[in-house]
Amino acid sequence: MLVMGLGLKMKSLRHHPMALKIHEQAGSKRKYTFIQAHRAWLPKFLMLWILLMALIGCFIFSKMDADTKVRRKEVLGSLCDQRARMLQDQFSVSVNHVHALAILVSTFHYYRTPSAIDQVCLCFIFPILLWIWN
């Protein structure tokens, strides 16, 4: 076994100079990975990537913000129209109440010898004037 081991060792020693030459040739043509070959460019590519993503993000944000503003203006316009209709309805109801009160007051005023309006004025205004004068 020992002889056989030595014989293998001898065979490997015979081929050793050739293997050494091949190994030296392969060592001189060492191949680098892309990252190792372009290490100086990596920070520049990283900054370019960050700037590009920031620009794309700003574009997307501005587009979405513009769409949101358009929708808000439409909603605000419809809310204003709805509020205007409600105020118009309330105003017409108030006008109806004023007409009814005018008819009621004119009826009392017409059938009273001392005017009902004068009685109302004296009833409410005279105590206020007395309070102010004192």
Side-chain angles (χ1 to χ4, degrees):
M1 286 270 230
L2 188 57
V3 175
M4 192 182 234
L6 287 176
L8 288 174
K9 194 171 184 180
M10 287 296 223
K11 280 186 180 180
S12 66
L13 285 178
R14 256 187 274 158
H15 297 290
H16 186 266
M18 181 62 94
L20 187 59
K21 286 182 185 179
I22 292 172
H23 181 63
E24 285 175 1
Q25 289 175 355
S28 65
K29 296 181 183 178
R30 184 176 176 193
K31 294 185 179 183
Y32 293 102
T33 63
F34 179 80
I35 294 174
Q36 289 172 340
H38 303 290
R39 185 171 296 271
W41 285 95
L42 286 178
K44 295 172 187 172
F45 284 138
L46 179 65
M47 288 303 296
L48 180 67
W49 177 258
I50 290 171
L51 287 174
L52 183 66
M53 289 299 115
L55 286 174
I56 290 172
C58 288
F59 174 74
I60 290 171
F61 174 77
S62 65
K63 181 68 175 160
M64 291 175 69
D65 189 46
D67 293 342
T68 303
K69 285 179 183 176
V70 167
R71 271 183 295 205
R72 285 182 183 168
K73 285 182 183 179
E74 291 172 357
V75 168
L76 186 61
S78 66
L79 287 175
C80 288
D81 291 341
Q82 184 180 5
R83 180 70 177 149
R85 281 191 299 274
M86 288 172 57
L87 288 173
Q88 189 175 9
D89 292 342
Q90 288 176 353
F91 180 75
S92 64
V93 168
S94 297
V95 168
N96 289 340
H97 284 127
V98 168
H99 281 286
L101 286 173
I103 291 169
L104 187 65
V105 168
S106 68
T107 303
F108 279 118
H109 178 68
Y110 182 73
Y111 290 115
R112 294 264 183 174
T113 305
S115 174
I117 296 173
D118 293 338
Q119 288 177 2
V120 168
C121 285
L122 287 175
C123 189
F124 288 110
I125 295 176
F126 189 66
I128 294 173
L129 290 176
L130 284 177
W131 179 74
I132 290 174
W133 287 331
N134 287 333

